[in-house]
Amino acid sequence: MSKIVILGAGIAGHVAATHLRRKLSKEHEVVVVSPNGNYQWIPSNIWVGVGRMKSEDILFPLTPLYKKKGIDFKRAKVTTFHPEGDTETLKPYVNIQYVLKENQGTNGKSNLRLFN
């Protein structure tokens, strides 16, 4: 079983997460870490700028989508990145800090393993 951690839910991160979840069997875990809870369809920003669309029309919440697709979503920011691990953890990991009110400020070494 592998755990794949994707840092960021922008265009590349979002596409990578959904594509990997679709292609990998359910025994593999896909995790997205991003402080932003919404995906923004960037090509439509021009229409918001000229008043043809509202910003709500080009944003959608990631939490329900990722839950439906079986992707673990962490609303957090990465504070440190350890590609070589450290003296306690020999595998790569990241430290995250949650941004939601109920967990805001909670941080520390996470159990997220990167590409093992």
Side-chain angles (χ1 to χ4, degrees), residues 11-44:
I11 289 178
H14 178 68
V15 169
T18 55
H19 186 69
L20 286 168
R21 180 68 288 151
R22 188 172 57 250
K23 294 290 186 179
L24 295 173
S25 66
K26 297 297 179 196
E27 69 183 28
H28 302 288
E29 188 176 353
V30 178
V31 180
V32 175
V33 178
S34 178
N36 190 349
N38 292 315
Y39 180 79
Q40 180 178 5
W41 182 241
I42 293 174
S44 293

Side-chain angles (χ1 to χ4, degrees), residues 5 28 49 56 66 100 109 112:
V5 179
H28 302 288
E56 306 88 55
Y66 286 159
L100 291 177
K109 184 188 277 188
L112 302 175

Side-chain angles (χ1 to χ4, degrees), residues 4-82:
I4 300 167
V5 179
I6 299 165
L7 305 179
I11 289 178
H14 178 68
V15 169
T18 55
H19 186 69
L20 286 168
R21 180 68 288 151
R22 188 172 57 250
K23 294 290 186 179
L24 295 173
S25 66
K26 297 297 179 196
E27 69 183 28
H28 302 288
E29 188 176 353
V30 178
V31 180
V32 175
V33 178
S34 178
N36 190 349
N38 292 315
Y39 180 79
Q40 180 178 5
W41 182 241
I42 293 174
S44 293
N45 282 347
I46 186 70
W47 302 118
V48 175
V50 297
R52 301 277 311 263
M53 295 178 86
K54 296 178 182 172
S55 60
E56 306 88 55
D57 296 333
I58 63 168
L59 296 173
F60 64 87
L62 290 170
T63 301
L65 173 72
Y66 286 159
K67 185 175 183 177
K68 179 181 176 184
K69 294 199 174 279
I71 297 170
D72 188 13
F73 183 43
K74 309 280 187 194
R75 285 282 310 272
K77 62 183 179 178
V78 174
T79 57
T80 57
F81 179 73
H82 302 272

Side-chain angles (χ1 to χ4, degrees), residues 92-109:
Y93 70 93
V94 294
N95 284 329
I96 61 175
Q97 182 177 54
Y98 289 95
V99 298
L100 291 177
K101 290 180 184 177
E102 60 269 10
N103 297 329
Q104 191 170 19
T106 303
N107 57 25
K109 184 188 277 188

Side-chain angles (χ1 to χ4, degrees), residues 80-95 109-116:
T80 57
F81 179 73
H82 302 272
E84 302 297 325
D86 61 13
T87 56
E88 296 174 16
T89 306
L90 300 178
K91 293 188 178 194
Y93 70 93
V94 294
N95 284 329
K109 184 188 277 188
S110 69
N111 63 352
L112 302 175
R113 302 277 188 251
L114 302 176
F115 307 109
N116 39 342

